[in-house]
Amino acid sequence: MNERGATSEARYEPVIGLEIHVQLRTRTKMFCGCELSFGDRPNVHTCPICLAHPGSLPTTNERAVLYALEIALALDCEIAPRSIFARKNYFYPDNPKAYQISQYDTPLATAGRLGEVRIHRVHLEEDAAKLVHVSESGRIHGSGESLVDFNRAGTPLVEIVSEPDLRDPAAAREWLQLLRTTIRQIGASDVNMEEGSLRCDANVSLRPAGSSGLGTKTELKNMNSFRFIERGIAAEIERQRAILDAGQEVVQETLHFDPRGGSLTSLRSKEEAHDYRYFPEPDLVPLAPTEAMLARARESLPELPAERRERYAAELGLAAAQATQLAFDAELGDYFERVVESAPDVDAPVIANWVAGDLVAALRDADQDGDSPASSRVEPPALGKLAAMAQRGEVSSGAARSVLAAMVAEGGDPRAIVEREGLGQIDDSGELEAIVGRAIEAEAEAAERVRGGNPKAIGPLVGFVMRETKGRAEGAEVTRLIRERLGA
Ligand code: ADP
Ligand code: ZN
Ligand code: MG
């Protein structure tokens, strides 16, 4: 990094806050009885309420409220005894009422926390309809006709607003992944960014390092993958850094990040910001969760990532970083637990290494890093068996790696692979000693130097034995035998 970069790097601290929309997995819409649908024919799940016919009245979906309460409780929020639905007024073809029912000054929940990040608020609202832009040559944004699909109109949404507590793009991505895992564990949403059931806007500003005030922020709209969020925030930090370095001021605006070209374009400035003229929704009573609903939401909360991390550390003895890694990736954690169950004689931290270390690395080496352990050919009990065989010394650590590579490639049982490939640990010490003897003859020069008091010269001798045994001997034992024979 050049000197100017280094100084400006140190001179500014990025400040990031996220606004997240989550589509709930209810059977029906937020304020009517239409079913939620994904990929059905357009405009088949509609009724007078979600099409905004005059005189139709909304009723609140209790299942959606329960999911929202579960999310709010999982985020350690304070639940409002009475929260208020409000009309957020704007005109757009995806919004037949010309307002969206949302919550404004009295949201469902406030003042929570997830990991290191405080939660500002959690509220309920309804999704807009979906606009489909069509041209004659197919579907191309920005040209031709626009069609509206009202199937999505009225889908229940939970909006989660973080405090501006994040400090770098990777942390923002990781935190969003933790939030997704948390909501997925609850079962409240599919939380799938590609399909739009998880959507995220990022607010970004810079401030002088060491200061606690907030700089002018910009908002990056609707980035639809975790990678793009990280890259979009990083690009925006660089853009603001250049503006500040040039002695200019950041303008408050809403931006679109183009992940292909990496460019940021303005969608609207502060002056163009909407005035939504919020007012309380007259057709709905306040949302007042009963004790019974709160109790039900509390009881149905599953083990959340933070609790799981705690259990992995306290009960299974995992080190902090590994406990976090396995607990915050629920799929990986579930896989790990199945291996633990299948190998009661192997300590959990050893198994954690097999799963998060060896297996993940073996998948990467096999160019299967898109593959998680859970979707790989390696069945948890098979990995447990291999871990137990290695612990009992039936395979050397080198041979165990070969066995694991074979399991990644073709699945199957580790003992069968060991027998087929002749990878069993050499337990006949006579056989190993004979090979050590041959090593000393073949690498006479190295042997002479070891005898002469240079222990570092032992490498070629050990290498010879490992080659001859195809890694079936344990390195420490080989070294011990060679030293013994050379009197070193
Ligand atoms: P607005 O009124 O513009 O919507 P809010 O205060 O509601 O702004 O905050 C929206 C989001 O922006 C929140 O996630 C918040 O944490 C974040 N945020 C607010 N101010 C800043 C700032 N100066 N820099 C970065 N993020 C910010
Ligand atoms: Zn409807
Ligand atoms: Mg806001």
Side-chain angles (χ1 to χ4, degrees):
M1 183 177 297
N2 65 31
E3 214 176 271
R4 179 152 164 273
T7 46
S8 97
E9 181 89 18
R11 217 175 325 135
Y12 305 117
E13 177 181 51
V15 174
I16 302 155
L18 301 182
E19 295 174 276
I20 298 104
H21 285 90
V22 176
Q23 279 182 344
L24 298 180
R25 253 177 62 182
T26 50
R27 192 177 61 79
T28 56
K29 293 185 179 180
M30 186 65 220
F31 298 113
C32 66
C34 292
E35 278 183 32
L36 298 193
S37 73
F38 298 96
D40 281 356
R41 265 190 316 123
N43 296 308
V44 293
H45 300 289
T46 61
C47 74
I49 295 172
C50 55
L51 290 177
H53 291 193
S56 62
L57 288 173
T59 44
T60 304
N61 182 334
E62 183 172 341
R63 183 65 256 190
V65 174
L66 274 167
Y67 277 146
L69 288 173
E70 287 181 42
I71 291 172
L73 289 169
L75 300 180
D76 236 344
C77 287
E78 289 166 24
I79 311 285
R82 284 162 59 90
S83 64
I84 311 286
F85 285 109
R87 289 190 182 179
K88 177 178 181 177
N89 298 281
Y90 69 94
F91 175 77
Y92 205 65
D94 67 3
N95 175 26
K97 298 196 291 284
Y99 61 83
Q100 175 195 26
I101 304 180
S102 181
Q103 297 192 303
Y104 184 51
D105 48 13
T106 319
L108 177 87
T110 54
R113 167 176 293 280
L114 177 67
E116 306 304 305
V117 175
R118 291 168 303 150
I119 304 293
H120 179 58
R121 60 186 276 155
V122 173
H123 74 245
L124 265 167
E125 58 186 33
E126 57 176 339
D127 209 347
K130 190 172 183 163
L131 290 183
V132 183
H133 304 289
V134 184
S135 78
E136 272 178 38
S137 59
R139 288 178 175 182
I140 295 171
H141 184 88
S143 66
E145 296 174 74
S146 293
L147 305 175
V148 191
D149 177 5
F150 288 101
N151 285 351
R152 197 180 74 176
T155 299
L157 291 180
V158 159
E159 177 172 346
I160 299 157
V161 182
S162 86
E163 295 290 352
D165 289 349
L166 291 154
R167 296 291 173 262
D168 68 75
R173 175 182 50 74
E174 282 161 21
W175 186 78
L176 189 63
Q177 281 167 330
L178 170 59
L179 179 66
R180 180 184 60 166
T181 302
T182 303
I183 294 172
R184 184 170 281 164
Q185 297 280 85
I186 293 171
S189 168
D190 296 332
V191 276
N192 182 321
M193 293 202 95
E194 286 71 32
E195 291 171 6
S197 52
L198 171 66
R199 314 200 280 260
C200 180
D201 306 334
N203 297 269
V204 180
S205 66
L206 295 184
R207 66 183 174 195
S211 82
S212 60
L214 289 175
T216 302
K217 73 170 160 78
T218 58
E219 183 174 3
L220 305 183
K221 270 291 178 204
N222 261 329
M223 288 166 294
N224 58 6
S225 86
F226 287 96
R227 246 174 357 122
F228 296 165
I229 283 176
E230 183 170 349
R231 281 172 45 201
I233 294 173
E236 176 55 9
I237 289 172
E238 283 320 306
R239 193 189 68 89
Q240 292 188 17
R241 196 192 301 286
I243 291 173
L244 296 177
D245 275 347
Q248 292 167 337
E249 280 177 14
V250 172
V251 177
Q252 184 175 336
E253 60 188 336
T254 304
L255 300 166
H256 169 74
F257 174 66
D258 172 13
R260 273 161 309 184
S263 65
L264 291 148
T265 47
S266 182
L267 292 174
R268 58 174 179 261
S269 68
K270 190 185 179 185
E271 286 69 38
E272 294 160 315
H274 299 289
D275 174 5
Y276 293 117
R277 298 179 295 117
Y278 283 97
F279 63 87
E281 165 60 67
D283 291 339
L284 287 168
V285 292
L287 189 59
T290 59
E291 266 314 313
M293 285 174 83
L294 285 170
R296 193 173 149 198
R298 253 181 232 115
E299 275 158 26
S300 43
L301 278 187
E303 183 187 46
L304 298 167
E307 291 162 357
R308 191 178 256 209
R309 169 170 64 178
E310 189 56 30
R311 178 166 62 85
Y312 285 176
E315 289 174 24
L316 300 183
L318 266 54
Q322 211 154 48
T324 304
Q325 186 188 354
L326 291 166
F328 284 17
D329 179 342
E331 207 186 45
L332 192 64
D334 290 345
Y335 184 96
F336 160 70
E337 293 195 32
R338 289 177 57 203
V339 183
V340 169
E341 265 165 39
S342 76
D345 296 338
V346 184
D347 287 342
V350 174
I351 291 188
N353 284 332
W354 277 102
V355 173
D358 303 75
L359 178 54
V360 168
L363 289 168
R364 194 168 46 228
D365 291 345
D367 257 345
Q368 298 185 17
D369 45 343
D371 256 359
S372 64
S375 63
S376 76
R377 294 193 172 85
V378 182
E379 294 294 332
L383 186 63
K385 195 166 174 183
L386 178 60
M389 287 165 68
Q391 174 162 296
R392 286 193 297 265
E394 291 170 34
V395 282
S396 71
S397 44
R401 266 197 293 280
S402 309
V403 175
L404 187 58
M407 288 162 72
V408 162
E410 64 204 52
D413 176 69
R415 188 175 308 282
I417 293 170
V418 165
E419 277 161 20
R420 190 188 67 204
E421 311 274 327
L423 286 168
Q425 173 98 294
I426 298 181
D427 43 19
D428 172 359
S429 61
E431 185 186 349
L432 191 54
E433 274 172 34
I435 297 171
V436 166
R438 291 214 302 281
I440 289 170
E441 278 170 32
E443 301 287 344
E445 215 176 292
E448 208 39 58
R449 277 191 281 147
V450 175
R451 263 198 208 96
N454 179 359
K456 284 194 191 127
I458 203 168
L461 294 153
V462 176
F464 182 97
V465 176
M466 292 318 234
R467 267 195 314 280
E468 286 289 297
T469 61
K470 293 199 201 123
R472 288 156 61 230
E474 203 59 79
E477 174 65 4
V478 171
T479 305
R480 193 189 64 76
L481 278 176
I482 295 172
R483 288 225 178 96
E484 193 181 85
R485 282 282 281 277
L486 296 175

